[in-house]
Amino acid sequence: MSKPRIKVPKKAAAGDVISIKTLVNHAMESGQRKDKAGNVIPRKILNKFACEFNGNPVFSTDIDAAISSNPFIQFSARVAESGTFKFTWTDDDGSVIEAEKPIEVS
Amino acid sequence: MNPTRRQFLKQQLLTGSAIIAAGGLSTLGLPAFASAEDVAQALAEFVGDAQTQTGLLTLKTPEIAENGNTVPISISVESDMTEDAYVESVMVLAEGNPSPKVITFHFTPASGQAVASTRMRLAKTQNVIAVAKMSDGSVYTDTKNVKVTIGGCGG
Amino acid sequence: MMRTTIYNTLLVAGITAVSLSTLSVSAAPVDDTLVIDGEIDITTRTAAPEGHPLKEVISGWHYRTPETRELETDTFQNSGYLGIEQGEEIWNTVEGTEGKSCASCHGDASESMATVGATFPKWHAKMNKPTNVELQINYCRTENMGAEAYKFDKGGQKPLTAYIKNQSLGKPVELDLTQGDMQAWFDKGKETYYKRTGQLNLSCASCHEKNNGNYIRADHLSQGNVNGFPTYRLKQNKLISIHNRFRGCIRDTRAEYPAAFSDELMGLEVYVTWRGTGLSVETPAVRQ
């Protein structure tokens, strides 16, 4: 598993609405495919994504099997102060992928 | 009466409309497609019995998806996103997929704008529906038809 | 009856006057400009080199929908860069009995590999044949690193090849056919390009020279240039190598297809790469 790709501006002015892009390497196995022997390949997807800023919720998603592999999610955030964005993806198997990105707000 | 795949393709080609056809993911052996009840149930769970209206919410999709495996979509809702009035959630449904649920975005006033983009799978040509739930309980919808092509050249 | 079946088969393949004439209206390559991350200008149309059968060489990018084209303009949204990042890790990872990584000998890939993606396949005197990036990696692994050669499309072959070729992003493709027997391999590749094969009796040229711009069923046929390989294909959601694509194409003519890196396909790679002379390296391109 490679680390998630996240794009957050390094700097912003207080009150700015910034755009955040995320992309993570994951097969997003839908549970609707069969292997060569005809057996259903079990579903294994990232079913949740959440973004917090300095501990406060900014944006989150409930994800279903129709999201493409290597899921890409773009959204925005309004920043009032410097701090750290925390990103969390939750896998069907209970494991989590976590990442953080700082931003300097003036 | 069900025409065979070959008859169907032949007919499409003879009428010169070969580009668009259903079943973009047919090789994956997908199960049956979502029923109207599945869609209605997902909607009811999300908005209860609220009246839906159009406006404010825009769903953007390609008119023609070159490959049903990766279809870029985005939603945006007009809102100032203040503590008093903001967009709570936007659900996206695909009418013609095996299961209609695609993704639900949850916003907060800290989102600044109610905008989001992602990429989704579409099993065939169908309607994609977005539903936005506002903090005051009002509900907006937007629907786009996306045509999914069958390629001529496999991997 | 037999004749009808063959006719239907051709109908399905879209090689008919009906489908070509009715669909050709919207089929021209799109007029657009590719700039990656707002700073790297990519040459996607250019005058063909001397001896080329077409007047203009055009990247497959022009044949794709606006949404697919847009993915390639942004290295963040282009999922092929997941492979590039993986390739960079491999570049710096020690493997084999000699305790070396690629970087041990070649240092900074952005310098040492700057022109590789634009100039391979190249003549390899010791192997006495043209080598592509994949075979050169295997040569290094077995001869210099004491590591095992990658099997076709396995292990780190695709990401490492993509990482190396990506160092030439934006540089024009230009082969040196004067080295060794390159010209003979070029000629052999040209022969393969024009040879009709399979139950559908198609050559590379049937689709990519005579019918580029037209549709084969729903696929908008490009010139079949390889300046973006390994390319991120939305169909499989992963990097696809040149030889995988060659084999896929030949299979679609319903023919037996040659082994990856066989002499036949190496000759074809030399010839087809030359046909894209002057186009920028786009690795990893994004295609449908």
Side-chain angles (χ1 to χ4, degrees):
Chain A
M1 175 76 62
S2 61
K3 61 180 194 295
R5 310 186 82 210
I6 299 167
K7 200 167 186 178
V8 173
K10 287 194 177 69
K11 292 177 181 182
D16 275 1
V17 176
I18 59 160
S19 183
I20 297 176
K21 295 179 192 177
T22 67
L23 191 139
V24 51
N25 193 356
H26 195 286
M28 297 294 280
E29 192 57 60
S30 67
Q32 284 149 3
R33 297 201 309 159
K34 289 176 179 172
D35 63 18
K36 282 178 184 151
N39 306 309
V40 172
I41 305 170
R43 179 183 125 148
K44 188 178 183 301
I45 67 167
L46 296 171
N47 60 52
K48 276 193 170 47
F49 165 74
C51 170
E52 291 179 354
F53 183 66
N54 291 345
N56 300 311
V58 172
F59 171 86
S60 64
T61 64
D62 299 318
I63 303 170
D64 290 280
I67 292 299
S68 307
S69 47
N70 302 333
F72 167 80
I73 297 173
Q74 183 174 5
F75 57 96
S76 33
R78 185 183 281 141
V79 285
E81 56 186 354
S82 294
T84 304
F85 283 101
K86 187 180 169 194
F87 306 89
T88 314
W89 290 260
T90 309
D91 195 295
D92 276 348
D93 69 9
S95 64
V96 244
I97 303 168
E98 288 180 315
E100 292 189 345
K101 283 277 176 186
I103 185 168
E104 197 182 299
V105 174
S106 50
Chain B
M1 181 196 144
N2 284 321
T4 65
R5 181 175 164 83
R6 171 160 296 197
Q7 284 166 341
F8 174 74
L9 287 169
K10 185 180 159 192
Q11 202 171 7
Q12 293 296 304
L13 280 156
L14 287 174
T15 55
S17 59
I19 304 182
I20 312 307
L25 296 182
S26 59
T27 53
L28 300 182
L30 292 173
F33 296 116
S35 64
E37 292 87 68
D38 292 337
V39 176
Q41 193 188 338
L43 276 171
E45 281 171 16
F46 186 63
V47 301
D49 51 9
Q51 286 288 318
T52 62
Q53 50 193 315
T54 55
L56 299 190
L57 167 65
T58 307
L59 168 67
K60 198 177 148 211
T61 63
E63 246 176 85
I64 296 175
E66 202 158 23
N67 194 292
N69 266 343
T70 313
V71 184
I73 60 161
S74 60
I75 57 97
S76 63
V77 192
E78 287 175 41
S79 165
D80 292 339
M81 300 300 278
T82 61
E83 294 289 340
D84 297 332
Y86 63 97
V87 182
E88 280 183 1
S89 303
V90 176
M91 180 173 71
V92 179
L93 298 174
E95 266 184 1
N97 272 4
S99 161
K101 283 190 182 177
V102 177
I103 193 165
T104 306
F105 304 108
H106 302 288
F107 300 95
T108 69
S111 303
Q113 286 177 354
V115 295
S117 306
T118 188
R119 301 175 195 158
M120 66 175 292
R121 295 166 170 152
L122 285 174
K124 59 175 182 177
T125 294
Q126 59 181 283
N127 284 331
V128 178
I129 306 163
V131 189
K133 196 159 64 175
M134 317 294 269
S135 58
D136 67 3
S138 59
V139 175
Y140 292 83
T141 65
D142 192 16
T143 301
K144 291 281 153 63
N145 188 263
V146 185
K147 297 179 176 70
V148 178
T149 65
I150 304 181
C153 306
Chain C
M1 183 60 206
M2 189 61 191
R3 177 161 297 184
T4 319
T5 310
I6 291 168
Y7 181 58
N8 285 348
T9 306
L10 284 168
L11 279 176
V12 171
I15 308 293
T16 69
V18 176
S19 59
L20 297 185
S21 60
T22 51
L23 297 174
S24 58
V25 179
S26 61
V30 182
D31 190 16
D32 198 354
T33 314
L34 175 56
V35 181
I36 294 175
D37 289 349
E39 48 190 42
I40 303 168
D41 290 322
I42 301 292
T43 302
T44 53
R45 307 184 82 125
T46 188
E50 204 188 320
H52 199 293
L54 302 169
K55 280 195 187 117
E56 190 183 22
V57 179
I58 305 172
S59 160
W61 184 77
H62 284 280
Y63 297 79
R64 307 277 53 94
T65 59
E67 293 78 18
T68 308
R69 290 204 307 279
E70 192 189 334
L71 289 176
E72 198 177 324
T73 64
D74 179 358
T75 56
F76 189 90
Q77 287 205 55
N78 178 350
S79 304
Y81 278 84
L82 290 167
I84 303 296
E85 285 170 3
Q86 205 188 332
E88 184 176 12
E89 264 176 50
I90 297 167
W91 178 266
N92 292 304
T93 303
V94 171
E95 275 185 82
T97 54
E98 302 302 309
K100 287 179 187 168
S101 68
C102 305
S104 308
C105 294
H106 298 290
D108 183 350
S110 68
E111 290 171 18
S112 60
M113 299 291 126
T115 62
V116 168
T119 56
F120 270 61
K122 253 187 183 166
W123 185 249
H124 196 289
K126 281 185 189 154
M127 287 199 266
N128 196 35
K129 64 181 213 173
T131 180
N132 59 10
V133 175
E134 288 91 334
L135 292 184
Q136 183 61 48
I137 290 169
N138 277 349
Y139 186 85
C140 277
R141 288 177 65 84
T142 54
E143 301 303 310
N144 302 327
M145 294 168 72
E148 282 196 20
Y150 288 130
K151 292 197 172 73
F152 173 51
D153 274 355
K154 295 287 195 294
Q157 186 170 75
K158 283 191 288 178
L160 185 55
T161 301
Y163 172 68
I164 291 171
K165 288 195 172 182
N166 178 250
Q167 306 306 314
S168 302
L169 184 70
K171 294 205 171 68
V173 171
E174 191 173 12
L175 293 190
D176 183 354
L177 298 173
T178 65
Q179 300 291 313
D181 290 334
M182 280 295 274
Q183 188 62 47
W185 284 76
F186 173 97
D187 293 342
K188 206 156 37 169
K190 186 174 178 181
E191 203 174 292
T192 303
Y193 190 88
Y194 287 100
K195 187 175 74 189
R196 287 178 176 268
T197 60
Q199 291 177 330
L200 298 185
N201 201 30
L202 298 171
S203 68
C204 305
S206 311
C207 289
H208 298 291
E209 182 173 305
K210 297 195 181 70
N211 280 302
N212 87 79
N214 290 325
Y215 280 88
I216 185 163
R217 285 180 65 190
D219 262 337
H220 194 189
L221 288 167
S222 72
Q223 291 184 354
N225 288 312
V226 294
N227 55 310
F229 281 88
T231 193
Y232 190 82
R233 234 181 149 211
L234 301 178
K235 181 187 168 73
Q236 292 98 341
N237 268 311
K238 60 180 183 187
L239 289 174
I240 298 296
S241 65
I242 293 181
H243 285 247
N244 178 315
R245 191 58 269 190
F246 280 162
R247 284 154 54 94
C249 265
I250 298 169
R251 183 204 55 207
D252 289 348
T253 71
R254 302 187 189 162
E256 295 271 348
Y257 45 88
F261 313 131
S262 59
D263 287 357
E264 193 173 356
L265 291 189
M266 286 306 297
L268 189 61
E269 183 175 346
V270 170
Y271 178 68
V272 173
T273 305
W274 171 83
R275 285 179 73 105
T277 297
L279 293 176
S280 296
V281 173
E282 289 178 40
T283 309
V286 181
R287 299 292 183 260
Q288 78 286 18

